Amino acid sequence: TEEPKTRWRPLPLNTVELGKLAASRLRMAPARCMHVAENLYQRGYISYPRTETDRFGPTIDVRALAQAQAPSSVWGAYA
């Protein structure tokens, strides 16, 4: 029998990296890429493209920010 294969989960792209990849791999202008991403998001196909901030300073309590979102009936399960 064949062993089950595991796949690594891709990291979310921030908007700068998304634009760079679209330009280099798809020959798409970054503005067009963001328009397409926004359209896909509005139709429910992708999560919202991340902003350029993926690291937080030591004074920001990220856990408290996430816990404040937990009561939401819309996205609380993802907090």
Side-chain angles (χ1 to χ4, degrees):
T1 63
E2 191 173 318
E3 289 186 33
K5 295 181 182 178
T6 59
R7 290 185 173 187
W8 58 273
R9 191 172 182 186
L11 296 173
L13 293 175
N14 63 37
T15 54
V16 171
E17 292 302 315
L18 176 63
K20 286 180 185 178
L21 281 172
S24 67
R25 303 252 174 110
L26 302 174
R27 307 286 190 240
M28 182 186 291
R32 172 79 176 132
C33 170
M34 291 310 300
H35 176 75
V36 169
E38 181 69 21
N39 197 348
L40 290 171
Y41 167 73
Q42 289 176 350
R43 293 178 179 199
Y45 290 113
I46 64 172
S47 64
Y48 193 77
R50 307 307 195 260
T51 64
E52 286 70 36
T53 303
D54 57 3
R55 297 181 189 206
F56 300 95
T59 60
I60 296 178
D61 188 353
V62 177
R63 186 175 304 277
L65 293 172
Q67 287 173 342
Q69 302 303 313
S72 170
S73 63
V74 178
W75 60 76
Y78 302 102

